[in-house]
Amino acid sequence: MDVSSESARELLMSGVQLAKDSVRRFVSDGRPTEQRRPLVAGSVGPYGAFLHNGSEYTGAYAEEMSVEDLKVWHRSQVECLAAAGADLIAFETIPSLKEASALVELLREFPNSKAWLSFSCKDGRCISDGSPFTDAVQIANRSTQLVAVGVNCCCPAFVEPLLDYAGSLLSPDMSWVVYPNSGEEWDTQQGWLKSGKTSASIAELCNTWMNQGASLIGGCCRVSPAHIAEIRRQLRGSDASRASALQLD
């Protein structure tokens, strides 16, 4: 699909406006409570997704790029989402420390914007480039504009050990954001495959994550609206004021 930079900008901004229109209709129907109002988050994913070679799952491309290179790549999209009035910027599925550093630095150029920073992870201790999740959280702590840091696009079973591993480093001004995949495994040749391991679902685990300090909980790839509805039901059965359910894929 041949899309000019100006057309891409218009598409991004119209997406934000459509989401904001939905929020306005939701509010006009009188559905939100005083504490609950939907927010619109504009997604900024990893540079590697543009390469179409699977490197967004490893972060290998960052070895050949500088922080400035990555800032240049992401700047126009962040500027567009900020100008369109997104309530939050969702820096998500970030596989490398270098790209995370670039995004934290870039965010300072938009002082009126808030964001979260979410990493893809390969296991219960490391992000996708093999760096400790603790180092990733310390990068997030450099920013006063981040409202949350966490993980997405990973196995649900990884979330609890990751949050435990870095729990002592979480800034008091931030919470965890977690939205893993369904538990299926991605194969670059065959697509999504059923995992050979039996693991608990997001709905079964979400209360544990909330007790660890997560306030934004949801699902990424292969997580359906029905799954999100089940997460909401689970959270309502506990202290629902402490967490919100979200779906991003």
Side-chain angles (χ1 to χ4, degrees):
M1 183 178 181
D2 186 14
V3 178
S4 68
S5 58
E6 186 56 37
S7 295
R9 177 183 174 85
E10 291 174 1
L11 286 169
L12 280 171
M13 296 190 77
S14 65
V16 173
Q17 291 306 314
L18 286 169
K20 291 172 75 71
D21 287 345
S22 295
V23 170
R24 281 190 285 270
R25 287 195 298 271
F26 184 81
V27 171
S28 66
D29 288 343
R31 282 181 280 182
T33 66
E34 186 175 336
Q35 295 81 21
R36 294 286 183 204
R37 182 182 181 279
L39 299 176
V40 174
S43 172
V44 175
Y47 172 83
F50 159 76
L51 300 175
H52 299 288
N53 62 4
S55 61
E56 69 268 34
Y57 298 108
T58 65
Y61 56 87
E63 297 174 9
E64 301 176 1
M65 301 179 73
S66 68
V67 167
E68 287 303 316
D69 290 336
L70 289 162
K71 287 168 65 176
V72 168
W73 168 259
H74 286 296
R75 184 174 286 113
S76 59
Q77 186 175 359
V78 175
E79 188 278 329
C80 180
L81 294 172
D87 297 303
L88 292 165
I89 306 297
F91 297 128
E92 57 183 357
T93 327
I94 304 304
S96 76
L97 295 183
K98 186 183 289 184
E99 192 160 17
S101 295
L103 292 169
V104 166
E105 288 186 17
L106 179 61
L107 185 60
R108 297 189 191 117
E109 298 179 16
F110 304 89
N112 296 322
S113 294
K114 299 291 186 181
W116 75 61
L117 177 60
S118 183
F119 295 87
S120 61
C121 297
K122 61 189 296 184
D123 54 37
R125 292 178 73 88
C126 296
I127 66 173
S128 292
D129 73 352
S131 301
F133 182 55
T134 48
D135 290 353
V137 173
Q138 287 177 316
I139 288 174
N141 287 341
R142 299 175 189 168
S143 175
T144 59
Q145 293 169 256
L146 291 177
V147 300
V149 61
V151 300
N152 76 291
C153 206
C154 65
C155 175
F158 295 166
V159 175
E160 182 179 357
L162 283 162
L163 302 192
D164 273 345
Y165 181 43
S168 64
L169 298 174
L170 182 66
S171 166
D173 298 322
M174 282 191 281
S175 65
W176 295 122
V177 53
V178 297
Y179 47 113
N181 295 334
S182 64
E184 295 165 281
E185 297 178 352
W186 174 256
D187 181 273
T188 54
Q189 300 299 319
Q190 303 179 67
W192 289 102
L193 302 174
K194 292 287 187 182
S195 173
K197 304 173 185 176
T198 301
S199 61
S201 69
I202 296 174
E204 292 170 313
L205 295 169
C206 64
N207 281 296
T208 297
W209 303 337
M210 186 181 70
N211 290 332
Q212 290 177 287
S215 65
L216 295 167
I217 299 171
C220 195
C221 300
R222 308 283 284 183
V223 177
S224 70
H227 293 130
I228 298 300
E230 179 58 27
I231 293 169
R232 287 180 63 84
R233 284 192 289 271
Q234 290 290 333
L235 293 175
R236 283 199 187 105
S238 55
D239 186 357
S241 65
R242 292 163 52 196
S244 298
L246 65 151
Q247 179 181 6
L248 296 131
D249 54 20

